[in-house]
Amino acid sequence: IYQAFLRPDADEKTLLRHGRIASVVVAVIGLLCTGLTDNINDIWGWITLCLNGSQLFPLFLRWYWWRFNGWGYAAGIGGGILAAMVQRSAFPSLPDYVGFLGTGLISTVLMFGVTLATPPTPMPALVKFYTNTRPSGFWGPVAALALEKDGFDGQAPEGGSFDTSAIRREHHRDRATAIFAVVWQLSLFLAMMAATMAQWGQFAVVFSVWAGSSSGLWFCWLRHLGNEPDTARMRGGFESLGTVSSRETEMVGTVRSPLTYDGDGERSDEEVEREGEGGGDNEDEERSRIAVGGPKF
């Protein structure tokens, strides 16, 4: 929040200092909150279901719906957290599953309402995000524009051919992979717990499930990593859509999310002057800044 909205030009030393201050403040607030409950299971249930559940739907939807924007995301997250805190203060005896459904419903209504009431994310940022991550879900208008503008260079990956059906097949495999990944993680955790408690019969059953899910992950995901279509190789980085500045997207994990966009597609006078002085080198740098280097599989 400090860097994005208050001091976007802050140096590393300032950001480090404020990060340390924020960590201390959060720790102190956490210690003060320990006096509000006598049962660790009670507060743990509220955190995992009510508090975290209020953020579940905005965190999920941002990857699967092109119309979802930063305002809707902020409203869903902020409203859900506020609803969870009100529930904890006013209705502390409410069952956790009821709190989860209530806060999740409030978060969902807010994120859809605010998203539809505010302008969508500009298309250049959406196209850049789509070509970088190839997300599944409701991205039809963005995908159509990316292909219409002939952004892909048409070069087929070695040993294969490039077409949109390859992306659809990848999405189908990703859905199956998600199921196997959840089973893999849970079974590994339960297997370690069973081994710790010397429950070898349960360990053998859970370990078998883990081995089966590992085979599923290899079949649906791992063996395809070197053969995915390189859909992120771009020709000119969609120059026809306008220049996308470095602050038009925000980092989420290791990929860029189009949830924030504060540029207007214009380069500053300083950038134009530096480009004129640098000649070909600056042109290459500009092309590298615009072009989208997608994940290599």
Side-chain angles (χ1 to χ4, degrees):
I1 294 176
Y2 179 80
Q3 183 180 17
F5 300 105
L6 301 179
R7 288 282 304 279
D9 57 344
D11 55 27
E12 291 296 328
K13 185 176 181 180
T14 302
L15 293 176
L16 181 61
R17 181 173 66 253
H18 281 81
R20 290 172 176 172
I21 294 174
S23 298
V24 173
V25 171
V26 170
V28 171
I29 293 176
L31 290 174
L32 295 176
C33 289
T34 58
L36 303 178
T37 182
D38 298 325
N39 189 338
I40 187 63
N41 290 330
D42 181 42
I43 194 65
W44 178 252
W46 175 76
I47 291 175
T48 54
L49 286 178
C50 298
L51 187 60
N52 290 341
S54 66
Q55 308 173 47
L56 175 64
F57 301 106
L59 290 172
F60 177 82
L61 189 62
R62 63 179 179 172
W63 301 107
Y64 296 100
W65 186 32
W66 74 272
R67 182 61 177 80
F68 195 39
N69 60 17
W71 293 109
Y73 179 81
I77 291 290
I81 292 176
L82 182 61
M85 296 176 65
V86 171
Q87 178 270 319
R88 181 65 184 176
S89 302
F91 309 100
S93 60
L94 201 67
D96 290 335
Y97 72 91
V98 177
F100 169 78
L101 294 176
T103 56
L105 178 61
I106 293 174
S107 174
T108 301
V109 171
L110 285 174
M111 72 178 185
F112 275 110
V114 173
T115 294
L116 296 177
T118 54
T121 303
M123 194 57 70
L126 292 172
V127 170
K128 184 176 183 179
F129 174 76
Y130 180 84
T131 55
N132 192 33
T133 61
R134 303 196 298 267
S136 179
F138 303 98
W139 288 86
V142 180
L145 182 59
L147 296 175
E148 177 186 346
K149 293 298 181 180
D150 194 25
F152 299 112
D153 60 13
Q155 299 179 12
E158 182 178 356
S161 60
F162 173 75
D163 54 28
T164 56
S165 63
I167 301 179
R168 288 194 292 269
R169 288 194 300 270
E170 179 187 358
H171 290 164
H172 293 323
R173 290 196 302 269
D174 287 344
R175 297 185 186 101
T177 298
I179 298 175
F180 283 116
V182 171
V183 175
W184 185 90
Q185 186 175 16
L186 291 177
S187 59
L188 179 63
F189 172 76
L190 294 175
M192 296 300 101
M193 292 291 294
T196 302
M197 296 183 293
Q199 300 292 329
W200 301 114
Q202 297 179 8
F203 173 81
V205 173
V206 178
F207 184 81
S208 299
V209 174
W210 176 82
S213 60
S214 298
S215 301
L217 285 176
W218 178 85
F219 181 81
C220 294
W221 171 60
L222 188 60
R223 71 190 184 100
H224 297 284
L225 288 184
N227 302 316
E228 296 293 353
D230 191 2
T231 58
R233 273 200 310 268
M234 310 298 296
R235 182 194 305 148
F238 295 100
E239 289 94 336
S240 58
L241 293 178
T243 301
V244 180
S245 67
S246 60
R247 294 191 59 215
E248 288 167 356
T249 53
E250 65 175 353
M251 291 302 296
V252 178
T254 57
V255 299
R256 292 187 179 273
S257 169
L259 292 181
T260 58
Y261 182 99
D262 59 0
D264 56 3
E266 301 291 339
R267 287 178 294 175
S268 64
D269 295 338
E270 291 79 6
E271 288 177 312
V272 175
E273 183 178 351
R274 286 198 302 270
E275 181 179 354
E277 294 174 354
D281 292 340
N282 273 342
E283 183 178 356
D284 293 338
E285 292 176 3
E286 179 70 9
R287 184 179 294 109
S288 299
R289 184 177 69 83
I290 298 174
V292 180
K296 305 300 182 182
F297 293 92

